[in-house]
Amino acid sequence: MSQRFYEHLAAELDAIEEQGLTKSEQQITSPQSGTVSLGDRSVVNLCANNYLGLADHPEILAASRAALDEYGFGMASVRFICGTQDQHKELEASISEFVGFDDTILYPSCFDANGGLFETLLGPEDAVISDALNHASIIDGVRLCKAKRYRYANNDMGELEERLKEADAAGARFKLITTDGVFSMDGFIARLDEICDLAEKYDALVHFDDCHATGFLGANGKGTHEYRGCMDRVDITTGTLGKALGGASGGYTSARPEIVNLLRQRSRPYLFSNSVAPPVVAGSLKALELARRGDVREKLWDNTAYFRGKLEEAGFDILPGEHPIIPIMLYDAKKAADFAAGARAAGIYVTAFSFPVVPKGQARIRTQMSSALSRDEIDRAVDVFKSVSG
């Protein structure tokens, strides 16, 4: 045992605390919903990814309970040994139909889906070109592969074209552009149609992670590719069942069969992780059914427009856009932490985001709208924000 090592860790933690960057965890004592319980207090929840309000939907709960009786608690195995049930295949087919791809492979999480994507498809003679604000799971997935790495400024098509030219000049065999569909800290939507234009010009593949879009973005909730009108022009999407689609766990990759089949053979997070639990699979199937109905999407967009308008009217500095992710910019980490603490004490559950989750000097309160929220709860949140902002 090295005492110096533990002293080093203690100093690191002290430094994080002194900079106001400590990320505390609140213990929720209720189901995830528009309001949650923090101990004996009920608070309005503005920081969950529960966009469609499905995390505690009674039809999803009923489907999950029924699956628990029929299929059991867990699979205790990976897919290729004895971890594939008929409902796993049904869910993969349902996701494929919903997002508009030929085939789908399930993972324990989208982090795993991204972690197992790039190293399976790309070798040292290839190139991956990544948006600078991509999610950590994409960044880590790219690090695992041996392809040459290029990065372009967020949503900057000029820089993306330059990186594609550089990859060609370096003799790249295959080029893969990777981006978030929606950038989770800002709510900005990728210019996916323009990315496809450049991909076609330079013979590149396109991958996008649609965790913050699947189920509600686009006319039918299919995601960023529907919103941008390029559903038949993208090659690969990764996504999650842990946000709008019930909020439990599980992720997926959807693509042409050649890609999905190779992932089944060589993608390490798929080959060496337990299958998604049966109750989660059944609940996710029901969540997709509910997302197809459209009424929960309509309420989400109504709530989003109303909340954005109220925050602007109150004079808050919010990032522009239309997505349900609505960041209130405070810039200073300590100020953001104090704002969040004051709001929670007044009955509004929000979280401060600071470095390293966002760049230094860009601290914020990332609020997220949900179909589960009422207008009265939204109005109450705005009033509390005004009071704690001084």
Side-chain angles (χ1 to χ4, degrees):
M1 180 182 294
S2 171
Q3 186 59 35
R4 288 190 304 111
F5 176 71
Y6 292 101
E7 290 172 354
H8 164 72
L9 294 185
E12 287 284 308
L13 291 169
D14 288 343
I16 292 171
E17 180 69 31
E18 289 170 7
Q19 295 170 51
L21 303 179
T22 298
K23 292 156 188 65
S24 59
E25 299 178 2
Q26 305 295 316
Q27 295 187 40
I28 297 173
T29 56
S30 67
Q32 186 70 271
S33 190
T35 60
V36 294
S37 297
L38 300 181
D40 59 357
R41 293 192 307 124
S42 178
V43 296
V44 176
N45 188 4
L46 288 183
C47 59
N49 299 311
N50 188 26
Y51 295 110
L52 296 178
L54 300 181
D56 66 339
H57 194 284
E59 291 185 48
I60 292 177
L61 298 182
S64 296
R65 290 190 190 99
L68 189 65
D69 291 334
E70 182 176 358
Y71 289 104
F73 176 64
M75 293 306 302
S77 183
V78 301
R79 288 286 295 271
F80 81 95
I81 299 178
C82 61
T84 300
Q85 293 175 329
D86 54 346
Q87 63 165 359
H88 287 102
K89 303 304 293 183
E90 182 184 355
L91 178 56
E92 287 171 336
S94 184
I95 292 170
S96 297
E97 186 278 328
F98 186 78
V99 299
F101 282 78
D102 294 332
D103 203 358
T104 293
I105 176 173
L106 287 174
Y107 285 86
S109 70
C110 188
F111 209 110
D112 284 321
N114 286 331
L117 179 68
F118 303 96
E119 69 168 344
T120 303
L121 300 181
L122 304 175
E125 62 271 53
D126 303 319
V128 58
I129 303 108
S130 180
D131 190 289
L133 293 188
N134 277 343
H135 189 268
S137 60
I138 294 179
I139 294 170
D140 285 0
V142 169
R143 285 173 176 165
L144 289 171
C145 81
K146 294 181 172 62
K148 296 180 179 66
R149 305 168 196 168
Y150 300 84
R151 190 172 75 160
Y152 64 96
N154 180 234
N155 260 341
D156 188 324
M157 297 300 101
E159 276 205 16
L160 173 56
E161 184 164 20
E162 289 304 311
R163 300 296 90 81
L164 287 163
K165 290 178 180 178
E166 291 173 11
D168 277 342
R173 179 186 60 167
F174 300 123
K175 301 180 295 294
L176 173 63
I177 303 167
T178 179
T179 181
D180 278 352
V182 174
F183 297 92
S184 61
M185 288 298 111
D186 303 298
F188 297 153
I189 302 171
R191 296 158 64 179
L192 198 56
D193 51 341
E194 297 176 51
I195 291 172
C196 288
D197 291 341
L198 289 171
E200 290 164 8
K201 181 177 179 180
Y202 291 94
D203 189 29
L205 299 160
V206 176
H207 159 256
F208 67 107
D209 176 318
D210 227 21
C211 285
H212 289 276
T214 306
F216 61 93
L217 191 62
N220 299 289
K222 294 179 181 294
T224 303
H225 55 325
E226 182 181 41
Y227 177 83
R228 293 297 192 196
C230 56
M231 285 189 64
D232 59 345
R233 301 173 66 199
V234 289
D235 296 282
I236 308 164
T237 187
T238 49
T240 185
L241 305 172
K243 292 183 170 59
L245 298 177
S249 62
Y252 60 87
T253 299
S254 296
R256 285 177 50 166
E258 298 94 326
I259 290 174
V260 170
N261 288 339
L262 186 61
L263 292 172
R264 290 195 195 279
Q265 300 305 312
R266 294 186 178 172
S267 181
R268 292 168 67 83
Y270 178 80
L271 291 170
F272 299 105
S273 296
N274 267 14
S275 310
V276 180
V280 172
V281 174
S284 298
L285 280 164
K286 179 59 68 173
L288 282 164
E289 179 186 322
L290 293 169
R292 288 182 177 94
R293 295 180 189 173
D295 54 328
V296 288
R297 293 200 308 273
E298 183 178 348
K299 186 175 181 184
L300 171 65
W301 292 115
D302 287 346
N303 279 354
T304 298
Y306 181 78
F307 187 47
R308 280 187 175 274
K310 285 291 185 179
L311 289 174
E312 290 172 349
E313 182 182 308
F316 286 102
D317 182 3
I318 65 172
L319 292 181
E322 57 186 284
H323 194 273
I325 294 173
I326 308 169
I328 300 173
M329 302 304 295
L330 297 172
Y331 304 102
D332 179 76
K334 182 67 165 57
K335 184 176 180 180
D338 290 344
F339 185 107
R344 285 196 299 269
I348 307 299
Y349 186 20
V350 292
T351 300
F353 286 82
S354 54
F355 181 81
V357 180
V358 296
K360 288 183 178 179
Q362 294 292 310
R364 66 197 66 183
I365 303 295
R366 184 187 70 173
T367 66
Q368 292 168 271
M369 267 296 99
S370 171
S371 299
L373 291 162
S374 69
R375 286 291 172 90
D376 285 345
E377 289 164 342
I378 295 171
D379 287 340
R380 180 180 162 204
V382 175
D383 288 340
V384 167
F385 289 170
K386 289 191 289 189
S387 69
V388 300
S389 67

